[in-house]
Amino acid sequence: MTLSPARVPATGVRRLTTTLYGYAFLDDLVLLYPVYALLFADTGLPLWQISSLFALWSLTAVVLEVPSGAWADTVSRRRLLWIGPLLTATGFTLWVTVPSYGAFALGFVLWGAGGALGSGSLEALVYDEMERLGATDRYARVMGRTRAARLLATVAAMGLAGPVLALGGYPAVGAASVLACLLAAVTATRLPEHRVPAEKGNTRWSATLRAGVAEARADRSVRGALLLIPAVAAVWGALDEYVSLLIRDLGVAEETVPYLVLLVWAIVTVGSLFAGPAERLGTRGLAALIAGAALALAVGAGMRTPAGIALVGLAFAGFQLAEVLADVRLQHRIDDARRATLTSVASLGTELVTVAVFGAYTLLGSSLAHSTVFVILSVPYLVTALVLGGRPRNESPREGRRTQ
């Protein structure tokens, strides 16, 4: 049977998205997520060593983010996407077989390196494949669902970690996490990739990086799209680490805290599914979305009630949507040959701003309640919304240097 031209792209998109959602789910189905701090403490590590491990993880991401993105523009992106989970699996294996500070440190370096290989590579591969199929108008919807798959995996990992830990201890939790990484690597090999990497020796990753930076400096729309991603992603990405502390300050029972945390992430997961319709928002609409989420964050945190926590979840859902839309704006504006490079530059900006937010939270939290700090950190989003709202009314997410 001969497929019609319309049928061929539909089949190609279906293959891409099915594999993508499976990869995203398995990549975040890590049962060690909610218990690795307990593993470190039970191994005998003091608080300062545990904190240094987190810092090492962030530092690895900062150092490798942009070089790995530039590398992804010169080699097969699919290859990097299956190598990344293998590095992470190796790190997790070290954690549970030879638990010690050195093993934990090396594991975080491997995990950070694996994440850096996937950051930028995944978005670039997906966008290029959808462009080949003439389906870039679905990119926001697909990436929103990809994030929803990741969030579902995180929630599932939270639910499974306790029973698995009770059954087999940390080795069982580690084994389940390693298995998920291996399955993610296998799934990544099934991702379609029709882009032909540069011939060996013709293009160095450093040259690709220089070209990407030059593109950002020369094109105002690219530069603006690059800056928007950390402006939207960094603050709420840091705040989510403190949600459990915010909830505990409400005075609820300790056993209630995990359920309210799950409520927040359930709302964020549902919100991710609206990325497709939200793509129709212009610049003013995106500004309104960010402003509305900022107000929900401030009011929800200030209420200091379980209902307020639901508002915080709604705010995070809004920021998640805005983050997807910011990525869409960037992908529509950058050149295919430097797509992973510039996406990684945006991710680097997010990492750096996130570290700064951690520092600000530590300073503010030393004398203020968690709810007050959440309210204060909603202000940067209002500033971002005001800046976006001041742009020309006729600019839309798909406008820019590229045409579809």
Side-chain angles (χ1 to χ4, degrees):
M1 182 179 68
T2 302
L3 296 177
S4 67
R7 180 67 175 167
V8 173
T11 303
V13 170
R14 191 177 303 112
R15 178 197 170 193
L16 170 64
T17 55
T18 301
T19 309
L20 174 64
Y21 300 152
Y23 171 79
F25 183 86
L26 291 167
D27 195 40
D28 270 19
L29 188 64
V30 178
L31 273 64
L32 279 166
Y33 276 158
V35 299
Y36 60 66
L38 300 178
L39 169 62
F40 303 157
D42 289 345
T43 303
L45 269 59
L47 181 60
W48 73 267
Q49 285 189 325
I50 295 175
S51 298
S52 70
L53 290 173
F54 295 153
L56 178 62
W57 191 16
S58 296
L59 181 62
T60 302
V62 168
V63 171
L64 297 180
E65 184 69 56
V66 174
S68 65
W71 191 28
D73 280 329
T74 59
V75 300
S76 166
R77 292 162 181 164
R78 179 173 57 194
R79 183 188 308 163
L80 300 185
L81 289 172
W82 64 257
I83 291 175
L86 294 183
L87 293 178
T88 304
T90 303
F92 291 160
T93 301
L94 288 172
W95 283 7
V96 295
T97 55
V98 284
S100 61
Y101 181 79
F104 296 148
L106 181 55
F108 267 127
V109 170
L110 290 170
W111 194 358
L117 290 180
S119 177
S121 302
L122 183 66
E123 293 88 348
L125 183 148
V126 173
Y127 192 93
D128 282 352
E129 286 300 307
M130 297 193 77
E131 186 174 49
R132 183 184 68 85
L133 295 167
T136 53
D137 58 323
R138 306 186 204 176
Y139 178 77
R141 182 189 317 151
V142 167
M143 295 311 293
R145 291 176 178 176
T146 301
R147 293 185 183 228
R150 290 189 180 278
L151 291 168
L152 281 173
T154 300
V155 171
M158 290 178 181
L160 291 171
V164 174
L165 184 64
L167 282 173
Y170 293 117
V173 174
S177 301
V178 169
L179 177 60
C181 291
L182 295 178
L183 291 174
V186 171
T187 304
T189 65
R190 306 302 302 166
L191 285 167
E193 184 181 28
H194 291 82
R195 165 183 169 271
V196 178
E199 290 185 14
K200 196 170 186 179
N202 283 2
T203 305
R204 297 174 61 86
W205 71 263
S206 55
T208 303
L209 175 57
R210 286 194 298 271
V213 172
E215 180 180 354
R217 292 178 61 185
D219 193 321
R220 183 178 178 183
S221 69
V222 172
R223 189 165 60 250
L226 279 172
L227 293 173
L228 180 60
I229 290 178
V232 171
V235 175
W236 88 272
L239 287 180
D240 79 76
E241 300 291 343
Y242 300 95
V243 168
S244 59
L245 299 177
L246 174 70
I247 294 171
R248 190 171 64 180
D249 273 4
L250 302 181
V252 300
E254 287 289 329
E255 57 269 23
T256 304
V257 173
Y259 294 107
L260 289 176
V261 172
L262 283 177
L263 171 64
V264 170
W265 288 108
I267 295 172
V268 175
T269 302
V270 173
S272 299
L273 300 177
F274 290 90
E279 191 183 8
R280 293 193 291 267
L281 295 173
T283 299
R284 296 289 177 87
L286 179 57
L289 173 64
I290 296 171
L295 291 174
L297 177 63
V299 172
M303 287 173 63
R304 297 176 60 86
T305 65
I309 296 302
L311 271 180
V312 171
L314 186 62
F316 281 8
F319 296 140
Q320 170 89 305
L321 271 179
E323 189 177 338
V324 173
L325 296 180
D327 174 56
V328 172
R329 294 166 72 91
L330 177 63
Q331 300 304 329
H332 282 320
R333 287 163 169 77
I334 55 182
D335 185 83
D336 294 346
R338 292 176 287 277
R339 188 174 302 284
T341 301
L342 289 175
T343 303
S344 289
V345 168
S347 296
L348 173 63
T350 300
E351 291 284 351
L352 292 173
V353 177
T354 299
V355 171
V357 175
F358 282 141
Y361 198 105
T362 301
L363 291 174
L364 293 169
S366 62
S367 58
L368 300 173
H370 290 289
S371 58
T372 305
V373 180
F374 269 64
V375 172
I376 292 173
L377 291 178
S378 69
V379 174
Y381 283 114
L382 293 174
V383 174
T384 299
L386 286 173
V387 172
L388 270 180
R391 292 188 175 183
R393 184 180 298 273
N394 63 349
E395 185 182 352
S396 72
R398 295 188 192 177
E399 289 179 347
R401 188 175 53 76
R402 291 178 56 81
T403 57
Q404 303 304 317

